Amino acid sequence: MPNINIADKRGRDAVVKAESVRIEDPVRYLGPRGNASYTRRILKSTIDHDHDALSKEADSPEALAVALTESDPDIDVERFGQFLFHTSRVWIGSDDEPVFSIKQLEEIRNPLGEITETRDRERVEPNVDGDIPLSWTGTLIPRREAIRRYVFASKLQIVHVNGLTYDFLHGMAKELDKAKSLLLLGAGKSGKDPLVFRRGSVPYRGFLEGRTRGDSYVLLLHLSNMELKLPVDPDATPVDAS
Amino acid sequence: MARHLTFEHAGNEFEAELAKVSREHLYGSVRILTRDANDGRCTTATLASDGRTLIPKGGTALGYVNTEGDWITRDELQPMSLAGEPLSEVPSSFDAPILLDETVDETTLLDHSVRLCYRLVVDGELPALFRKALDKDSIFRFGFSYRGGIGHDPAFVYASEEALWMLVTDANDVRFVSLEQAALCGTSSIDDETDDDSENEDGLDFGML
C-alpha cells in the first residue's frame, strides 16, 4: 500500500495511503472429495536436457531421434516432476551459463511495428511519495467526458491515516463530487509529470474522483496510460513486440 | 481473423466486428533488449533453490495437488465461489446474442478497471432505438466471456464521438470510508509494462508514458 503525498486546491499537502481496490480471484477449486486444492510449480525440464544440449551430445539429428525413442535422454526421472520452491530469475548467455553483468537497451517501435530508435534503457524514478506533492492542477474533466476520452486501467482508493487527513481528504472528495468531474493530478516540480509508483514501473496519468455520502467519502485515483481513440490507421496490425 | 458478436437491444439484433485497440496500436511499443559484456544476447531462465539447476523458458508447469500432495487432474477440480457455492460453466459470448437490457451510470463504469478495449465495427446502420439510446449517453453493461468457462467478466458498451466501444473490465471493491476507517494494509496493483512516446493534441501526452 503506497504512500501518496498529495496537495489540495489551497496547496496544503499531506501524506496519505493509497489502497488497492482489486477483488481477489472469486473462484477457488476443490479436489474430487471436496477437499482443498493448491497449485504447485513443477519441474518439467532443465537446460541440460533441452534440444540444444541434446543435439550437441548426438552426432546427428537422426541419432538424436533414435536416442529419444530408445533411451529418453530428454527425461531425468529422478528430478522431473519435483515441486519447485524459492526459485530465482537469472539471465543466461548464448552458452547457457548465467550472466552477472548485463546492459539493457530499449527498442522503440512506432504503431506499425517499425523500429524508430534504439537507446539505453531508462528507468523512471517514483514520484508519488517524495518531497514534492502531487499537485491539484485545476483541470477538471466531467465524468461523462472522462470515460469517453481515457481508458482507466487501474485505480487506487486514497484513504486517510488520522483525523486531520480525514478532514483533508473529505474536503477534496466533497469538492470533486460537487463538480461531478475528475481532477487531473500531476507530479514533479512542473506539476505536469505522469505518476510513477515504483522505479522503472509504468507511468500513469492520474485522475482523482470524489464522492461523499454524509460523513463518509470515496476518493478514487483513476490511472490511465491510454486514450480512448481510434488508431492512426485502424486497419493496420502492429507487430507484436512483446 | 476478426470475430463478430451479435447484440440484441429492444428486440432488434445487430452484428459487430471486434477490433482490439491497445497502446501498441496508438503509440507504438518498447522492447527491452538485454546484452552481456560481449554484446551477446541474453535470455531469462529460472534458477532452482539448489543454486545449480537452470531451467529454461517453458521448463516449469503449474499443477494442482490435494492436502496430501497428490496430483489432481484438471477435470477433477470443482470450481466454487468464495462463499462455497459450486459454479457452473458459461458459454462463450460468441455463441448467442448478447442482450443489452441493463444501463448504468458513469460512476458504475468508473468503479471498474479496464482490461481490454475493443472498437465495435458495425456493418450498416445501428437499430434506431439503440442509436437513440447511445445518443442519450447510455452505457450498457453485460457479462462477457471470450471462450466460455467459469463466470463472466463485466463488460460495457457505449459510444464516444469517434466510435462505438466495448470495454472488458474487472470489478473493484470501492467502499465509502468514514473517520473510524483509517488506512488498512494492502498491496497496490500497478503492473510493470513498457511503452514509448508520441504527442497528444491537448497537452496531455499519453505517448510519453
Side-chain angles (χ1 to χ4, degrees):
Chain A
M1 184 166 59
N3 286 333
I4 300 255
N5 187 3
I6 190 170
D8 69 4
K9 192 179 181 180
R10 299 170 302 158
R12 309 286 192 272
D13 62 285
V15 176
V16 291
K17 291 282 183 187
E19 286 188 345
S20 169
V21 288
R22 181 181 281 189
I23 298 172
E24 294 302 315
D25 188 356
V27 181
R28 64 192 177 112
Y29 291 92
L30 297 184
R33 287 186 295 278
N35 297 330
S37 69
Y38 305 93
T39 51
R40 289 281 179 269
R41 186 163 291 281
I42 291 149
L43 179 63
K44 273 168 65 186
S45 182
T46 57
I47 227 151
D48 49 2
H49 286 80
D50 69 4
H51 181 264
D52 290 348
L54 296 174
S55 297
K56 277 180 198 166
E57 286 177 18
D59 293 335
S60 63
E62 290 77 15
L64 176 59
V66 171
L68 285 173
T69 52
E70 289 182 352
S71 59
D72 295 329
D74 55 325
I75 298 169
D76 182 343
V77 290
E78 294 292 327
R79 297 164 72 199
F80 291 2
Q82 74 181 56
F83 296 149
L84 293 170
F85 300 97
H86 309 301
T87 57
S88 313
R89 194 169 178 232
V90 294
W91 290 104
I92 56 169
S94 52
D95 56 356
D96 288 345
E97 291 296 324
V99 172
F100 300 98
S101 173
I102 58 160
K103 62 177 176 183
Q104 291 192 309
L105 305 169
E106 290 178 340
E107 192 176 78
I108 318 293
R109 291 170 184 259
N110 67 18
L112 298 176
E114 299 157 347
I115 299 170
T116 56
E117 188 189 351
T118 303
R119 64 187 184 204
D120 288 339
R121 185 175 185 187
E122 291 171 8
R123 288 183 188 270
V124 281
E125 296 296 327
N127 59 11
V128 298
D129 185 27
D131 294 336
I132 303 169
L134 301 182
S135 51
W136 182 286
T137 61
T139 304
L140 290 169
I141 302 145
R143 289 173 186 154
R144 182 210 165 273
E145 194 183 326
I147 61 162
R148 288 171 173 83
R149 284 177 65 183
Y150 308 112
V151 177
F152 299 110
S154 188
K155 47 207 76 205
L156 293 167
Q157 185 162 358
I158 310 292
V159 291
H160 56 282
V161 292
N162 52 34
L164 280 176
T165 50
Y166 164 79
D167 287 337
F168 176 70
L169 295 182
H170 189 278
M172 289 167 82
K174 196 172 180 181
E175 184 161 354
L176 292 173
D177 194 18
K178 198 175 166 189
K180 296 193 187 320
S181 297
L182 274 60
L183 171 87
L184 174 67
L185 280 183
K189 277 183 185 171
S190 66
K192 290 178 180 174
D193 294 345
L195 279 49
V196 181
F197 288 84
R198 290 193 312 271
R199 184 173 181 266
S201 71
V202 189
Y204 285 98
R205 291 289 174 195
F207 299 84
L208 197 60
E209 185 204 358
R211 303 171 203 164
T212 51
R213 188 190 292 159
D215 288 340
S216 57
Y217 71 96
V218 168
L219 206 51
L220 262 189
L221 177 57
H222 301 277
L223 301 169
S224 173
N225 64 351
M226 182 176 142
E227 293 155 285
L228 191 64
K229 66 176 186 180
L230 296 179
V232 178
D233 181 359
D235 298 325
T237 306
V239 172
D240 181 13
S242 59
Chain B
M1 203 177 99
R3 298 187 71 181
H4 290 75
L5 280 172
T6 305
F7 293 95
E8 183 187 333
H9 176 260
N12 300 307
E13 284 190 8
F14 64 95
E15 260 197 13
E17 181 188 315
L18 288 182
K20 192 175 173 184
V21 178
S22 67
R23 268 193 62 81
E24 286 72 31
H25 294 89
L26 298 178
Y27 312 111
S29 59
V30 178
R31 185 181 186 188
I32 305 296
L33 308 173
T34 305
R35 301 279 185 258
D36 63 17
N38 300 318
D39 218 25
R41 192 165 209 152
C42 297
T43 53
T44 52
T46 303
L47 181 66
S49 57
D50 62 6
R52 288 180 294 133
T53 306
L54 280 171
I55 305 162
K57 218 174 208 178
T60 66
L62 281 178
Y64 283 91
V65 295
N66 64 17
T67 44
E68 283 82 45
D70 297 328
W71 188 265
I72 304 173
T73 58
R74 197 163 274 274
D75 55 358
E76 289 177 308
L77 291 168
Q78 303 166 39
M80 310 285 279
S81 71
L82 291 180
E85 290 166 4
L87 296 172
S88 53
E89 297 216 341
V90 298
S92 164
S93 296
F94 292 94
D95 293 350
I98 296 169
L99 194 59
L100 297 176
D101 61 350
E102 182 191 5
T103 56
V104 296
D105 58 11
E106 289 104 6
T107 309
T108 305
L109 172 56
L110 283 167
D111 281 348
H112 293 72
S113 297
V114 179
R115 203 170 69 233
L116 292 164
C117 179
Y118 295 100
R119 180 169 57 101
L120 293 179
V121 184
V122 180
D123 192 17
E125 290 289 309
L126 285 169
L129 281 175
F130 184 61
R131 180 76 261 173
K132 205 172 169 183
L134 292 176
D135 290 343
K136 286 182 181 171
D137 292 341
S138 293
I139 302 166
F140 294 91
R141 176 167 66 180
F142 58 95
F144 178 76
S145 175
Y146 198 94
R147 291 187 179 81
I150 309 299
H152 289 111
D153 293 319
F156 299 86
V157 164
Y158 62 99
S160 70
E161 284 174 14
E162 280 191 314
L164 182 62
W165 301 97
M166 182 177 111
L167 306 181
V168 180
T169 67
D170 291 317
N172 289 311
D173 183 18
V174 178
R175 295 181 190 185
F176 279 83
V177 289
S178 56
L179 176 61
E180 296 77 26
Q181 295 164 292
L184 300 169
C185 289
T187 53
S188 65
S189 55
I190 316 299
D191 300 319
D192 284 347
E193 288 168 25
T194 52
D195 303 318
D196 86 319
D197 52 342
S198 72
E199 288 294 315
N200 174 287
E201 67 274 7
D202 58 7
L204 252 185
D205 183 359
F206 275 72
M208 68 178 281
L209 300 180

